[in-house]
Amino acid sequence: MSVLKPTSYQRPFLKWAGGKFRLLPRILKVLPEGNKLIEPFAGSGALFLNADYDRYLLADINPDLIDVFNHLKKGKTSFIDYCAQYFTDQYNNQKTFYELREHFNQLKPGKERAALFVYFNRHGYNGLCRYNRSGGFNVPFGRYKKPYFPAREMELFAEKAKRAEFRCQSFSKTMAHTRKGNVIYCDPPYLPWSLTANFTSYSQQEFSLDNQRELALEAKKLAKRDVPVVISNHDTDFARLIYAKAKDLQSFPVRRFISCDGAGRNNAQELIVVYRK
């Protein structure tokens, strides 16, 4: 696998909270050689776009995300043109946004719902992807003057997708069907800094501390079968505990943007963990 130069990194077409675009140099540096890259937490696909393997499997439990990827892979230019209709002044206002959001929440999976997911990603507040307990998409209007339509980024994603498979499934199911020659990169919902202070908001992500432990144990098992696993997470005491059996742990500061003003920006410690035989 070749590591691309920073100047040649391809941006994903989706904005994504916790996306790994800025961490690509560090992640690509530790990714082992292999014939297939498997990502049980697909996100925006930033790593997929910039890593060089023969084949790829991207999975996620968000059906809207995987549906968009599959529609783009299948429809290519026609799907991109279909999405473009929503990126005009006619659709960039609060009233229309909320009408489309209500319509989206009534739609079944299909081309229209997939295109609206792209629309919300660029017109919604801060590129968030959030659902209420009933499964309704509930991100508020973002109030952007002219949201960017990522036509070029979608074209490049569709081209790379020729070598990829996209599945809506759990991380455990994705990791269970791996074999020697595969390389796994996991970007799970991150651990909270304080388990006491953040437990409630963290549990709403439906990725519990037991899930975090399960992921670490599965990575250890796969490494013994000669399937290397790389994991990103916050560098916390709990992370150090569950990743204690990893071969390599790298900690470094990452700039976080937690506020609209500069005073609300600070550094957080990131952890990249490598399990290998």
Side-chain angles (χ1 to χ4, degrees):
M1 183 198 74
S2 61
V3 176
L4 302 177
K5 296 180 180 179
T7 53
S8 63
Y9 288 162
Q10 174 57 44
R11 287 189 175 276
F13 69 92
L14 293 174
K15 298 164 68 176
W16 207 256
K20 291 298 172 284
F21 186 80
R22 288 181 299 156
L23 299 185
L24 284 174
R26 290 184 180 273
I27 298 171
L28 290 169
K29 188 175 181 179
V30 301
L31 273 184
E33 299 281 343
N35 55 31
K36 184 178 185 180
L37 176 65
I38 297 175
E39 296 190 59
F41 307 88
S44 66
L47 182 61
F48 154 69
L49 287 167
N50 293 283
D52 185 16
Y53 290 85
D54 293 335
R55 292 175 296 139
Y56 305 85
L57 169 60
L58 272 67
D60 203 278
I61 59 170
N62 185 332
D64 286 322
L65 176 66
I66 297 302
D67 203 34
V68 166
F69 290 166
N70 279 319
H71 274 281
L72 183 54
K73 177 182 178 179
K74 181 180 178 181
K76 301 175 185 175
T77 303
S78 65
F79 179 68
I80 296 172
D81 291 342
Y82 184 79
C83 292
Q85 68 178 306
Y86 294 106
F87 284 75
T88 63
D89 292 340
Q90 174 187 354
Y91 294 97
N92 189 28
N93 62 81
Q94 182 170 303
K95 181 177 181 294
T96 303
F97 178 90
Y98 288 117
E99 287 176 348
L100 287 174
R101 195 180 75 175
E102 184 176 353
H103 177 60
F104 175 86
N105 285 329
Q106 304 302 317
L107 282 174
K108 293 183 178 180
K111 185 178 180 180
E112 184 182 6
R113 186 176 173 102
L116 284 174
F117 187 81
V118 177
Y119 162 81
F120 293 131
N121 181 259
R122 291 286 172 170
H123 290 76
Y125 179 74
N126 211 26
L128 292 175
C129 180
R130 189 184 67 192
Y131 303 81
N132 59 30
R133 292 186 179 276
S134 299
F137 187 82
N138 66 354
V139 174
F141 183 56
R143 301 181 184 278
Y144 300 112
K145 186 175 181 180
K146 190 175 179 59
Y148 173 69
F149 180 56
R152 178 58 177 161
E153 290 84 351
M154 293 177 78
E155 290 172 0
L156 292 170
F157 190 100
E159 180 63 29
K160 189 73 177 281
K162 292 177 181 178
R163 290 186 278 153
E165 182 180 0
F166 306 107
R167 297 181 190 171
C168 182
Q169 61 187 32
S170 67
F171 79 91
S172 56
K173 184 174 183 179
T174 303
M175 297 175 78
H177 296 90
T178 55
R179 60 189 65 186
K180 186 175 181 179
N182 297 164
V183 175
I184 302 176
Y185 171 69
C186 296
D187 182 27
Y190 272 21
L191 284 162
W193 292 114
S194 168
L195 298 184
T196 302
N198 294 289
F199 180 76
T200 300
S201 62
Y202 178 68
S203 65
Q204 291 172 356
Q205 298 179 38
E206 299 181 355
F207 200 83
S208 67
L209 299 183
D210 285 339
N211 291 142
Q212 298 279 1
R213 291 191 187 94
E214 181 186 354
L215 176 60
L217 288 172
E218 189 61 31
K220 179 184 174 183
K221 292 177 184 177
L222 288 175
K224 288 182 177 179
R225 290 169 39 201
D226 207 12
V227 178
V229 182
V230 178
I231 305 175
S232 295
N233 216 319
H234 281 147
D235 189 356
T236 67
D237 290 340
F238 186 78
R240 292 283 178 162
L241 176 65
I242 62 175
Y243 299 141
K245 299 298 183 179
K247 288 288 186 179
D248 184 28
L249 289 86
Q250 299 181 18
S251 180
F252 51 91
V254 173
R255 192 74 163 170
R256 296 294 188 214
F257 298 87
I258 59 174
S259 174
C260 295
D261 62 275
R265 301 171 184 175
N266 60 0
N267 285 335
Q269 284 299 119
E270 186 94 1
L271 194 65
I272 292 182
V273 182
V274 182
Y275 287 85
R276 60 178 183 269
K277 195 170 184 180

